Amino acid sequence: MAIDRRTLLGVGVAAASTALLGKTHAASEIPASRAKRLRRIATEEAWSIPEHIEALIGIGQTSWDNLDAMSWRPVTAASPLARRLVDIDERLRIMDQLGVDMHVLSLTSPGVQMFERAHAVAMAALANDRMAEIIRARPARFAGLASFAPQDPARAAKEIERCVTKLKLNGFIVNSHTNNEYLDLPKYWEIFEAAEALNAAIYIHPRCPADTMARPYSDYEMRAAIWGFQAEVGVHAVRLMLAGVFDRFPKLTVVLGHMGENVPFHLWRTDHWFERRRASYASKLLPSEIFKRNIMITTSGVEHGPALRYAIEVLGADRIMWAIDYPYEEMPPAVTFMNEVGISESDRAKVLHENAERVFHIEPA
Ligand code: MN
């Protein structure tokens, strides 16, 4: 069979080598992910309710010198972002076009964590109730991570119990620091106690760096996804590990987005210096031991094959879930990435849906 230059360049290596070997393009040569379509569960999908967006826009309109407030300053009720966070029909249309089976919804960052205590407690409960209604209406298309207000740890623990036992939600989300404090402080540990007891994972989602490290992030738009988000959540995750949170709560599952918020890439060095300074830390567990036992990561916003293959090699495919980060990222590139990335078909199934079903208690299809 003759092959011209255009065929080689245009059709790609797989098809060209098939032609070179004189084979027809049999069904057995179609990647399994396309031949037998895998269920796609996207695990970090932002959503909101009008009351919540209105409150965040209100914060943006204050003169509060805070990086998250600055991020909300340009947003109005007419912004496309405000619509896309709320509009379930638009979201479903795009999901249908692309074969995205399920979004695991979560209240958009910074959740309720910039509100005064009573407002935060009430807003979390309202958003959780609305989320549960959406899931009840379309249980095959949506699951949800509930919010709680760390500003009131005792009420947060009660809300965690309500969301699992009454609302049947699938886990929790917290947007990193609350009033510049991290959850390694023992006053917050009743939150972990409640989540562990209910076998509910807590997703630590980004917000902008805390005021205490804000200055260098206030230039060049560094506060957000270009660097600030991953720096903020990476710090949070390492604090939890070194404080002994996972020694005290051995069955707790914490989820980190964005391919682990930089921490996996430095895990060898973190282990190395943990070993050299063991006496300094409350934890007895190596950071890498914690990562392989208590921490899941997701691919949100990172469509990079080498990064995913590294994470599979270092953490194992059982610890990685697919995510889009809609509407902050668009759905098509995240779908294409998982269709095409060079990993085994069994790993692709784990990342696309099997791990999410296990961690978030989603009924297998
Ligand atoms: Mn996100």
Side-chain angles (χ1 to χ4, degrees):
M1 181 179 177
I3 303 168
D4 65 22
R5 190 176 143 77
R6 214 181 80 220
T7 307
L8 277 171
L9 291 175
V11 179
V13 175
S17 56
T18 299
L20 277 168
L21 293 169
K23 291 180 185 169
T24 55
H25 196 68
S28 63
E29 290 161 347
I30 297 170
S33 57
R34 267 164 266 172
K36 171 183 160 287
R37 193 173 81 63
L38 295 169
R39 189 186 197 190
R40 297 189 181 100
I41 301 177
T43 57
E44 187 202 308
E45 311 314 318
W47 159 87
S48 189
I49 57 175
E51 295 90 334
H52 178 243
I53 290 182
E54 193 186 331
L56 289 176
I57 289 172
I59 282 175
Q61 296 312 303
T62 65
S63 56
W64 191 356
D65 177 23
N66 167 276
L67 297 180
D68 284 293
M70 284 166 59
S71 295
W72 280 87
R73 207 145 286 159
V75 181
T76 71
S79 300
L81 175 66
R83 185 195 75 243
R84 296 177 90 202
L85 283 167
V86 169
D87 191 334
I88 288 294
D89 294 332
E90 177 181 358
R91 181 186 302 256
L92 273 169
R93 265 199 308 280
I94 306 170
M95 290 168 67
D96 289 342
Q97 281 164 12
L98 298 166
V100 175
D101 297 281
M102 179 178 276
H103 271 197
V104 180
L105 302 172
S106 49
L107 189 64
T108 199
S109 183
V112 302
Q113 291 162 250
M114 293 181 78
F115 306 143
E116 155 291 305
R117 176 190 298 229
H119 186 199
V121 168
M123 186 68 82
L126 177 67
N128 294 336
D129 287 343
R130 298 270 181 84
M131 177 182 274
E133 282 170 28
I134 289 170
I135 296 166
R136 269 197 298 273
R138 289 188 171 88
R141 309 308 302 278
F142 295 113
L145 306 182
S147 296
F148 54 82
Q151 294 93 322
D152 190 334
R155 292 291 295 270
K158 285 201 176 71
E159 182 66 3
I160 285 171
E161 192 182 355
R162 184 182 81 95
C163 289
V164 172
T165 60
K166 299 254 172 23
L167 300 184
K168 310 292 181 197
L169 294 174
N170 304 81
F172 294 88
I173 193 154
V174 65
N175 298 282
S176 201
H177 76 87
T178 305
N179 297 325
N180 308 308
E181 290 181 347
Y182 296 87
L183 299 176
D184 58 288
L185 296 185
K187 72 175 184 181
Y188 295 115
W189 286 20
E190 60 190 299
I191 292 168
F192 294 132
E193 191 175 358
E196 187 197 43
L198 295 156
N199 193 18
I202 299 181
Y203 202 124
I204 305 185
H205 184 276
R207 61 178 291 191
C208 295
D211 296 339
T212 39
M213 52 178 183
R215 181 63 199 91
Y217 290 97
S218 60
D219 302 312
Y220 316 119
E221 304 275 335
M222 276 181 72
R223 63 180 183 266
I226 195 165
W227 199 253
F229 287 170
Q230 46 270 45
E232 163 66 21
V233 181
V235 163
H236 199 154
V238 174
R239 289 185 67 99
L240 296 185
M241 292 195 289
L242 299 182
V245 165
F246 300 100
D247 299 67
R248 171 69 182 78
F249 304 105
K251 294 189 187 308
L252 177 67
T253 298
V254 161
V255 186
L256 303 175
H258 313 97
M259 218 60 96
E261 311 288 12
N262 288 345
V263 186
F265 197 73
H266 299 278
L267 210 45
W268 184 90
R269 195 177 191 211
T270 309
D271 272 3
H272 175 65
W273 280 93
F274 181 88
E275 294 273 29
R276 294 185 66 173
R277 298 273 188 274
R278 265 193 187 268
S280 307
Y281 305 119
S283 178
K284 300 279 173 280
L285 299 161
L286 279 173
S288 62
E289 292 171 333
I290 295 169
F291 250 84
K292 290 173 190 173
R293 190 186 74 176
N294 299 93
I295 298 187
M296 299 291 299
I297 71 167
T298 79
T299 64
S300 54
V302 183
E303 276 110 39
H304 189 215
L308 178 56
R309 287 190 290 272
Y310 170 88
I312 289 172
E313 182 178 342
V314 172
L315 307 176
D318 290 333
R319 310 224 63 90
I320 307 164
M321 300 184 282
W322 181 56
I324 300 167
D325 212 356
Y326 181 83
Y328 298 100
E329 301 282 357
E330 300 300 330
M331 292 191 221
V335 171
T336 303
F337 172 65
M338 281 309 299
N339 283 347
E340 296 182 350
V341 66
I343 58 175
S344 76
E345 290 311 306
S346 67
D347 287 354
R348 200 183 314 274
K350 288 176 180 182
V351 174
L352 269 175
H353 71 100
E354 289 173 5
N355 294 334
E357 289 161 357
R358 181 183 77 247
V359 171
F360 295 132
H361 314 290
I362 296 165
E363 195 76 31

